[in-house]
Amino acid sequence: MTAVYDWDETRGAEIIAEHAQQEGATLVILHALQEAFGYVPEAAIPMVAQALSLSRAEVHGVFTFYHDFRHKPPAAMC
């Protein structure tokens, strides 16, 4: 079951740090963020990029390539 919380930058940073050393970390982190918040907040993209030493464009490319990722909270959360 997905736990859904309002975006919290501190919690987002914790999630990113927890998964940054895993293989395929970009996808793992994006999935973990969506699991925690119900979507991947736009504010998380530069945080992921910095943690993984990637450009924002690289992370955004992964984020937009996979249709599983939501760009905003589900309608019930708005």
Side-chain angles (χ1 to χ4, degrees):
M1 183 166 147
T2 301
V4 179
Y5 302 101
D6 291 332
W7 167 243
D8 177 271
E9 187 173 335
T10 302
R11 180 64 186 130
E14 290 170 356
I15 291 168
I16 292 166
E18 287 170 12
H19 302 288
Q21 300 305 315
Q22 293 183 2
E23 188 173 329
T26 305
L27 279 174
V28 173
I29 291 169
L30 292 174
H31 279 292
L33 289 168
Q34 183 158 294
E35 181 73 19
F37 300 108
Y39 70 112
V40 179
E42 190 67 34
I45 300 299
M47 294 171 65
V48 175
Q50 182 178 22
L52 301 180
S53 298
L54 299 171
S55 71
R56 290 180 183 188
E58 288 173 302
V59 177
H60 190 265
V62 173
F63 175 60
T64 57
F65 180 80
Y66 293 97
H67 299 284
D68 294 343
F69 298 120
R70 288 187 290 275
H71 301 256
K72 56 186 177 179
M77 292 179 58
C78 293

